[in-house]
Amino acid sequence: RERLSVCSKLCYAVGGAPYQITGCALGFFLQIYLLDVAQLDPFYASIILFVGRAWDAVTDPMVGFFISKTSWTRFGRLMPWIIFSTPFAVISYFLIWFVPDISSGQVMWYLVFYCIFQTLVTCFHVPYSALTMFISREQSERDSATAYRMTVEVLGTVLGTAIQGQIVGNVVTPCIESPLFIGKINSSVSMEELNMTRDTGSLTDTRNAYMIAAGVIGGLYILCAVILSVGVREKRESSELQSDEPVSFFQGLKLVMNHGAYIKLIAGFLFTSLAFMLLEGNFALFCTYTLGFRNEFQNILLAIMLSATLTIPLWQWFLTRFGKKTAVYVGISSAIPFLIMVAVLDSNLVVTYIVAVAAGISVAAAFLLPWSMLPDVIDDFKLQHPDSCGHEAIFFSFYVFFTKFASGVSLGISTLSLDFAGYQTRGCSQPSEVNFTLKMLVSAVPVGLILLGLLLFKLYPIDEEKRRKNKKALQDLREESNSSSESDNTELASIV
């Protein structure tokens, strides 16, 4: 058996942190940053969020296409993409959190640099995801490395939440009282002028805090990329050693999209992933305005991510003991009662923390299971198409494409719905319609999406018995390939 060392697994796992650290910071904080710090209109903020996520989705199959056309180098086929995209990604990420001193054109600034960063981080993450298939041929070793990776990735979300939340949370972001409150004061004009003068100075501190957090996260991004490139060796499949010619992307895409197990896996996880992304995008606003925990929301987010990190090993044990499909049903459905509870019960800080810890357990399952099950689908594909190889990047990139595009649509619609409900930029409080909309976005809609995803997941055909049969069949194919290769070498040696 081909075993991976713990050091190799750790170096591989560390490579997953940059995507999660930056993605978590953007997912939890970009919406509230655009609305209350950059002071953009909710309509334009919704355009930035939708177009950025949609473009991010489009870049995944594009990068998958170019990777499939890339020839092997002495560093591998995937690793050069990771190495060369890193410095430019860090620069563009920092510029997302910078407020330009221009009276017009802010919308284009954030839209351009958000799209550039999403393109560059895709050039990192798609080859990194496909690297799963090239660190080992053993299914159990890939599953083990995936568990390491998911643990580090969820730890990355903790770091992203902690760095961004604690640095920004230590600065009080000013808010503006509603016009009704100001109207009750006799000297309303002078009071408003006083508020604006004080707010400008405080808002500068908030903007500086966002840039400091971006600098720290950018440094971690570079460090993780260096560890990955130094500590992991990309291995070629034996079936690919016969030819260096790049595979046909469109032919491979047609084969992949006709593979039933892959389509059913995407259909199931599309809606469950969308539920958690919708919750992620609106949770900061929900804690700040609906629950009234303006100075606590970063700690609540941290509780969710810490709980998720600590329970990843539990879910890895659970899926090896009871099977991956069972883990999907138990793990993801466990979030439903707590999502309902946080919307129904009155605002209570202790209850909110309990719900946050419980929700983190379900978040861990949602993180681990898709990436643990995609290699099973690829193995099933290889058995059905033994002569077609090199399509791993297509599997991973199109899975990410569908989830990102759907999340872009959902975030755009959710921000627009807040605009229609009467969201007040930098308001100390929000109208009741906005609070009701936020409850729907973090409770009712995610619960419905989770139920729909679990219902669709019943169609997924690869259970534990099917997975064991595929593993045995692949081992037989490799042994047959190795024995035929050895006989050819022996024959050549006798001729010589």
Side-chain angles (χ1 to χ4, degrees), residues 115-336:
C115 290
I116 290 174
F117 172 73
Q118 297 290 18
T119 303
L120 292 168
V121 80
T122 298
C123 292
F124 182 104
H125 193 248
V126 168
Y128 172 74
S129 300
L131 191 62
T132 308
M133 303 303 297
F134 295 94
I135 57 175
S136 175
R137 298 189 187 113
E138 290 289 337
Q139 187 184 74
S140 59
E141 291 299 295
R142 293 200 305 260
D143 286 345
S144 176
T146 299
Y148 276 80
R149 171 191 165 188
M150 291 300 108
T151 303
V152 173
E153 286 198 0
V154 178
L155 183 60
T157 65
V158 173
L159 283 174
T161 306
I163 293 169
Q164 191 87 3
Q166 298 305 315
I167 293 176
V168 172
N170 286 328
V171 179
V172 178
T173 303
C175 62
I176 302 174
E177 294 290 351
S178 66
L180 293 176
F181 176 79
I182 296 174
K184 295 178 182 178
I185 302 174
N186 293 329
S187 57
S188 59
V189 176
S190 60
M191 182 67 182
E192 192 168 356
E193 290 175 353
L194 179 64
N195 278 343
M196 292 306 296
T197 303
R198 178 173 53 82
D199 289 347
T200 302
S202 301
L203 201 57
T204 301
D205 295 337
T206 304
R207 291 171 176 175
N208 290 337
Y210 272 100
M211 286 191 289
I212 292 170
V216 175
I217 289 174
L220 286 174
Y221 192 117
I222 294 173
L223 177 63
C224 293
V226 170
I227 293 173
L228 173 66
S229 59
V230 171
V232 175
R233 182 177 176 82
E234 187 179 344
K235 301 174 183 177
R236 300 178 71 170
E237 286 284 345
S238 59
S239 59
E240 293 187 64
L241 295 175
Q242 307 300 322
S243 175
D244 287 323
E245 292 188 14
V247 297
S248 169
F249 176 82
F250 293 105
Q251 183 181 1
L253 178 61
K254 182 179 179 181
L255 290 172
V256 167
M257 288 303 165
N258 285 330
H259 190 58
Y262 180 63
I263 297 301
K264 290 165 185 173
L265 184 74
I266 286 179
F269 276 122
L270 176 64
F271 292 100
T272 56
S273 300
L274 187 56
F276 287 102
M277 289 178 182
L278 197 60
L279 178 64
E280 176 190 66
N282 294 281
F283 194 74
L285 292 172
F286 177 73
C287 287
T288 300
Y289 295 113
T290 305
L291 297 182
F293 303 138
R294 177 178 291 272
N295 298 321
E296 285 288 334
F297 79 88
Q298 68 270 15
N299 297 324
I300 297 170
L301 296 178
L302 191 58
I304 294 175
M305 294 305 150
L306 280 173
S307 172
T309 303
L310 295 174
T311 50
I312 280 281
L314 169 66
W315 288 116
Q316 176 64 18
W317 169 83
F318 189 95
L319 66 87
T320 55
R321 178 70 176 82
F322 299 102
K324 296 181 181 180
K325 285 190 73 171
T326 304
V328 168
Y329 294 125
V330 175
I332 296 179
S333 63
S334 64
I336 293 176

Side-chain angles (χ1 to χ4, degrees), residues 256-455:
V256 167
M257 288 303 165
N258 285 330
H259 190 58
Y262 180 63
I263 297 301
K264 290 165 185 173
L265 184 74
I266 286 179
F269 276 122
L270 176 64
F271 292 100
T272 56
S273 300
L274 187 56
F276 287 102
M277 289 178 182
L278 197 60
L279 178 64
E280 176 190 66
N282 294 281
F283 194 74
L285 292 172
F286 177 73
C287 287
T288 300
Y289 295 113
T290 305
L291 297 182
F293 303 138
R294 177 178 291 272
N295 298 321
E296 285 288 334
F297 79 88
Q298 68 270 15
N299 297 324
I300 297 170
L301 296 178
L302 191 58
I304 294 175
M305 294 305 150
L306 280 173
S307 172
T309 303
L310 295 174
T311 50
I312 280 281
L314 169 66
W315 288 116
Q316 176 64 18
W317 169 83
F318 189 95
L319 66 87
T320 55
R321 178 70 176 82
F322 299 102
K324 296 181 181 180
K325 285 190 73 171
T326 304
V328 168
Y329 294 125
V330 175
I332 296 179
S333 63
S334 64
I336 293 176
F338 298 103
L339 291 176
I340 296 173
M341 187 186 302
V342 76
V344 172
L345 297 180
D346 293 332
S347 177
N348 184 293
L349 188 58
V350 175
V351 172
T352 303
Y353 271 107
I354 293 173
V355 170
V357 171
I361 298 173
S362 185
V363 168
F367 262 85
L368 174 65
L369 289 164
W371 301 110
S372 179
M373 298 171 78
L374 270 172
D376 299 337
V377 173
I378 296 174
D379 285 343
D380 187 67
F381 176 85
K382 286 182 178 179
L383 285 175
Q384 296 187 25
H385 306 278
D387 297 326
S388 184
C389 60
H391 307 308
E392 291 81 6
I394 299 176
F395 277 97
F396 285 96
S397 62
F398 270 88
Y399 167 72
V400 179
F401 165 78
F402 288 116
T403 54
K404 284 181 179 178
F405 188 83
S407 72
V409 172
S410 69
L411 278 177
I413 292 175
S414 67
T415 310
L416 271 179
S417 65
L418 292 175
D419 188 24
F420 293 144
Y423 181 86
Q424 301 294 320
T425 301
R426 293 177 60 199
C428 294
S429 60
Q430 297 293 338
S432 58
E433 292 83 0
V434 173
N435 292 326
F436 176 77
T437 303
L438 286 170
K439 283 186 177 182
M440 293 296 102
L441 292 174
V442 302
S443 179
V445 178
V447 167
L449 290 170
I450 288 173
L451 292 174
L452 181 57
L454 294 179
L455 185 63

